[in-house]
Amino acid sequence: MTESEQPSVPLSVLLADPALGLRQVAGPAGDRRVSTVGTTEIEDPTPYLVGGELLLTAGVRLPLDADGIDTYVRRVVAAGVGALGFGVAPVHDEVPSELVAACDRHGLPLLRLPPATPFVAVGQAAYAAIAEARNRELREISRAQSALATAAARPDALQAVLDRLSAHTGAWAVLYDSEGNELFSAGPRPASPTPGRVRDLAVRTTARVRTGPAGRSAPAAAADHQGGTHLTVHTLPGADGTTMALALGQATTAVPTLVHRQITSTATVLLALLTSPRHALGTDTHSVGALVRLMLGAAPADVSPALAPADTAAAEHCWIVVHGRHTSAGSASASHPGDDPARLATLGTALGTPYLYVEGSELKALVLSAPDARPEVPAQAADLGWVLGFSPPAPASDLSHADRQAERALQRALAAQVPVVVHTRDPLTVHGLVPPADARDLARTRFAPLDGAASPGAPVLLETLRTWLTLHGSWDRTAAALHVHRNTVRHRLARVGELLDVDLHDPGVRMELWFALHWLPEPE
C-alpha cells in the first residue's frame, strides 16, 4: 500500500467539526489529507515523522526569531507533514505571525486550535473519521464482490462480470485474447486513441509473460498514464496455468483507488475461472461455484456440500487431506508430473478424487470420506513415483488442522523411505515436530546474523532477547532483570531486529524466535 493509499481524512472534515473549533489561518486552500495525528514540542521533530501527519504543537520550543521559524516549517514540510495545528494558550496568546508567514511561504496548511480544544480530541475526531471512511470502502468492496459473484452465475457470465466491473469502477473494461482481439467490453467506449493504447498495452503484457525467462516470474499486470487517462492491464492464466492467454484492460480518467483495485482483482479471478477450459466445457460448475464462494469469504464448511455427490448425507461430508512428494522412484516418474494430464488423471483415479493440486513435485488433494473411514492407500501412487501422507477424515471446518496432519505424515514417510504414512492421532508437542538435529541447525542459522555484531556482542544480544521474551515484551522488567537502562534494552532489541531483518512487534516473529532460542545450543 502506497502512502497515498493509507487511510486518511481530508482537513475539511476536521475543520467542519464544530466541537473542535479549528480554523485554517495559513497555507493552501486545497483539501489536504492527513493519515495520523501527532504531538511535538521539540525543536526538530523530523526524525520522528513518517509523513501525512497533522502535527500539533503549543509552541513550547518554537524558535523565537523568523529565520528559526522558517527553518522549522521548511523541515516539517520536507518530512511530508500534511498540516500543522497550533494550540493557543497557555504558551502563546495567538498564532505567531512569523509562523503564519512561513506556512504561507512553504505551502503548509496551518490550523488554529482554540484554548478549549484538547489535542487528544483532534486525534479522536481524525481517527473516527478515518475509521468511517475505511468502513465505507469495505462496504463498497463487499457490494461489488457480491454483484460480481451474482454476475458470474449468469448465462452471459463474461459480459455480466465486465458490466458490473465497469459500473463499480467507472472504467471502460475490455477482455482481449492473446493477439489483442477484443472479445467483450463494457462501459462507455473512450475516444480514439485510447482503445488502441489499451490494446497495445495488453498485447505487450501478454507477450512478455509468454516469453519471460525460464524460472522467473513474468509480469502479470501493467499500467500506463498519459494525458489524464489511466490504463491498466491484468493477464489471466491460460490452460496450462503459466501462459497468459487473455487480458483484462481498463481505461479511466480517474486515478484508480485501492477500492477499485480490490474490485478489479476479484473480477480478474472470476474471469480466469470463467474462461478456464474446464468451466467452458461445463464439466465442473459445482467446483467453480464453490471456489468462487471461498474467494468471496465463505467458510469451507459452507461450500463443502457443493463438492460432494448429491446423494451424500450432510453428516458424511468429511475430507481426507493428502500431501505428496514426487521422487525419482517409480517406473513412471517424470520431472514435472503435473504437466502430464494422463498421469494426473491416473493419480486422481487412484486417490478417488478430482480435487488435486500439483505444483512442481508437490501434491495436495482432498478426498471425500465418511467420518470413521480409514484412508485407502492406492498402490498406483508408488508406481507413479509419489510418496504420500494422509490425514484422518475431518469435517470441512477442520481442514487446516487436517492439512498439518497430512504434511507431518508426508515428512514421516519421506524420513522412513516408505511410500505412504497415514497420520495417527498420537499426542504431539511443538518441540516434537522437528527432529532435534534439524532444530539445532535451524536455530544456528536463524541467529547466525548476530555472530558478527559489534559491542556488546551476540551473547549479550541473545540474552537480552531471551529475557525480553520471557518477560512478555516488558521493557522495564527486562531492564531491571539485566540491571541496565530501559533505553539500553530498546537499543539492543532494535539491533537484533535489524540484524535478523524481523519485526519484533509481530507476535508470530516473537514465537518463532522463542522456539529458536529454546533449540539454540549452549555456547561451548
Side-chain angles (χ1 to χ4, degrees):
M1 181 183 292
T2 65
E3 182 177 323
S4 62
E5 295 169 346
Q6 294 290 339
S8 60
V9 59
L11 281 178
S12 59
V13 172
L14 301 180
L15 290 169
D17 189 338
L20 298 178
L22 305 180
R23 179 165 56 89
Q24 184 170 348
V25 296
D31 204 4
R32 192 77 60 88
R33 302 187 71 90
V34 294
S35 57
T36 189
V37 177
T39 302
T40 180
E41 298 298 347
I42 61 178
E43 294 178 1
D44 181 14
T46 55
Y48 309 100
L49 302 176
V50 297
E53 298 93 342
L54 169 56
L55 191 62
L56 304 180
T57 179
V60 175
R61 302 287 295 276
L62 189 71
L64 300 177
D65 61 299
D67 288 341
I69 291 176
D70 186 86
T71 300
Y72 177 92
V73 173
R74 177 165 43 82
R75 283 174 174 172
V76 298
V77 168
V81 165
L84 184 66
F86 194 90
V88 297
V91 181
H92 294 267
D93 294 332
E94 193 48 73
V95 181
S97 59
E98 295 86 354
L99 182 60
V100 173
C103 287
D104 277 331
R105 189 161 45 248
H106 294 286
L108 179 65
L110 175 61
L111 310 185
R112 178 188 184 274
L113 280 68
T117 300
F119 286 4
V120 172
V122 179
Q124 290 175 335
Y127 296 135
I130 289 173
E132 176 55 30
R134 183 56 179 159
N135 286 335
R136 286 196 300 270
E137 291 178 346
L138 293 175
R139 289 193 295 269
E140 182 180 350
I141 292 172
S142 179
R143 287 193 297 268
Q145 289 179 334
S146 178
L148 288 168
T150 300
R154 289 179 46 170
D156 58 340
L158 291 175
Q159 184 64 58
V161 168
L162 288 179
D163 287 340
R164 290 297 89 207
L165 174 62
S166 176
H168 283 277
T169 61
W172 177 59
V174 56
L175 189 64
Y176 296 104
D177 66 14
S178 58
E179 304 303 320
N181 298 311
E182 188 175 313
L183 304 178
F184 301 91
S185 67
R189 188 179 187 87
S192 181
T194 297
R197 289 173 49 212
V198 179
R199 177 191 179 277
D200 292 344
L201 183 61
V203 171
R204 292 197 304 270
T205 304
T206 54
R208 285 200 304 271
V209 173
R210 291 198 306 273
T211 59
R216 295 177 57 187
S217 298
D224 190 20
H225 170 66
Q226 291 183 12
T229 301
H230 300 267
L231 314 180
T232 57
V233 165
H234 296 266
T235 53
L236 309 182
D240 61 2
T242 56
T243 300
M244 301 297 171
L246 301 175
L248 169 66
Q250 291 176 287
T252 177
T253 56
V255 178
T257 65
L258 177 63
V259 172
H260 290 167
R261 284 198 286 275
Q262 291 276 4
I263 295 171
T264 298
S265 177
T266 298
T268 302
V269 172
L270 292 174
L271 290 170
L273 292 172
L274 292 169
T275 55
S276 67
R278 177 173 288 188
H279 184 277
L281 294 174
T283 57
D284 198 22
T285 55
H286 288 295
S287 297
V288 171
L291 182 55
V292 168
R293 292 173 62 192
L294 283 173
M295 292 293 294
L296 297 179
D302 296 330
V303 301
S304 176
L307 301 178
D311 58 352
T312 304
E316 298 179 3
H317 289 168
C318 283
W319 299 88
I320 294 170
V321 180
V322 184
H323 281 213
R325 176 81 55 80
H326 197 264
T327 68
S328 58
S331 58
S333 62
S335 57
H336 299 287
D339 293 342
D340 189 328
R343 298 197 191 283
L344 201 57
T346 302
L347 178 62
T349 302
L351 291 173
T353 181
Y355 305 122
L356 305 175
Y357 172 69
V358 177
E359 182 176 17
S361 62
E362 303 295 324
L363 160 75
K364 288 188 177 183
L366 284 173
V367 181
L368 188 67
S369 171
D372 55 351
R374 179 171 176 80
E376 296 183 6
V377 178
Q380 299 96 320
D383 296 335
L384 294 171
W386 289 97
V387 176
L388 302 177
F390 287 76
S391 78
S397 59
D398 202 23
L399 283 178
S400 59
H401 185 211
D403 186 58
R404 295 191 295 270
Q405 292 175 328
E407 178 60 25
R408 291 198 291 268
L410 172 62
Q411 295 304 322
R412 292 202 296 272
L414 292 169
Q417 297 184 336
V418 296
V420 175
V421 165
V422 177
H423 181 83
T424 57
R425 303 181 187 274
D426 52 323
L428 293 169
T429 65
V430 173
H431 299 297
L433 298 178
V434 183
D438 291 345
R440 289 191 292 270
D441 289 343
L442 173 64
R444 291 191 187 98
T445 301
R446 192 69 188 88
F447 292 114
L450 300 182
D451 292 341
S455 180
V460 173
L461 294 178
L462 286 170
E463 182 60 21
T464 303
L465 176 63
R466 189 190 305 273
T467 304
W468 184 68
L469 292 174
T470 300
L471 297 175
H472 308 291
S474 171
W475 306 102
D476 292 331
R477 294 170 61 195
T478 302
L482 296 176
H483 305 290
V484 297
H485 194 275
R486 70 193 309 271
N487 287 342
T488 301
V489 175
R490 287 183 178 273
H491 177 76
R492 289 178 183 176
L493 291 175
R495 186 62 178 152
V496 170
E498 178 184 356
L499 291 172
L500 299 183
D501 192 21
V502 296
D503 180 7
L504 292 178
H505 296 292
D506 186 337
V509 169
R510 295 189 188 189
M511 180 179 68
E512 175 197 352
L513 296 179
W514 175 251
F515 286 121
L517 285 169
H518 176 86
W519 294 323
L520 190 66
E522 293 293 332
E524 298 177 358

